[in-house]
């Protein structure tokens, strides 16, 4: 299942970020438009690539965006009962072994 994060301009000077899990799309957050952020996230980035600080090339707007992503994705995981991060999947599997047995 492909999981990606992408952004698109929704109004003048504003980017909206979305999480794409398979065919489902979840709104994450909106922020001020930055050209570097649009170039990095505009076409979509796999979830593991979306938070690699080495790819930001010292662009502070991209770095700040990368800082926001985990918090919003964890909220989506909790709110909709989906598993996006590997850590969440492992925790779920471990809890199931304990409670499902």
């Amino acid at each position: 299942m492909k999981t990606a994060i992408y952004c698109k301009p929704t109004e003048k000077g504003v980017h909206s970020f979305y999480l794409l899990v398979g065919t489902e799309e979840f709104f994450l957050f909106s922020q001020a438009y930055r050209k570097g952020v649009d170039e990095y996230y505009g076409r979509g980035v796999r979830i593991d690539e979306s938070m690699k600080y080495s790819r930001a090339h010292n662009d502070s707007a991209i770095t700040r965006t990368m800082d926001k992503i985990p918090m919003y994705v964890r909220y989506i995981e909790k709110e909709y009962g989906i598993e996006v991060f590997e850590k969440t999947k492992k925790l779920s599997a471990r809890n199931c072994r304990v409670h499902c047995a």
Side-chain angles (χ1 to χ4, degrees):
M1 178 166 49
K2 182 184 175 193
T3 304
I5 291 182
Y6 70 95
C7 70
K8 59 185 174 185
T10 49
E11 55 187 82
K12 186 159 177 66
V14 177
H15 262 136
S16 290
F17 283 78
Y18 298 89
L19 175 68
L20 187 63
V21 181
T23 58
E24 288 189 86
E25 180 180 80
F26 302 94
F27 173 77
L28 292 174
F29 59 91
S30 292
Q31 69 179 26
Y33 181 91
R34 295 283 182 256
K35 184 179 179 190
V37 173
D38 185 52
E39 290 171 356
Y40 189 75
Y41 291 102
R43 290 185 305 261
V45 180
R46 286 192 342 252
I47 188 77
D48 58 329
E49 297 286 320
S50 70
M51 296 172 286
K52 281 193 177 175
Y53 289 92
S54 62
R55 300 247 174 163
H57 301 291
N58 294 327
D59 185 329
S60 61
I62 295 174
T63 304
R64 285 192 309 271
T65 302
M66 288 178 176
D67 290 341
K68 290 180 182 180
I69 289 173
M71 174 180 53
Y72 286 98
V73 172
R74 279 193 296 270
Y75 172 78
I76 294 297
E77 284 181 325
K78 192 173 185 177
E79 188 70 21
Y80 294 97
I82 61 173
E83 297 172 352
V84 176
F85 290 132
E86 288 302 315
K87 185 176 180 180
T88 309
K89 292 175 186 177
K90 288 178 185 175
L91 240 153
S92 177
R94 189 177 79 198
N95 287 340
C96 186
R97 282 197 305 264
V98 171
H99 298 291
C100 296

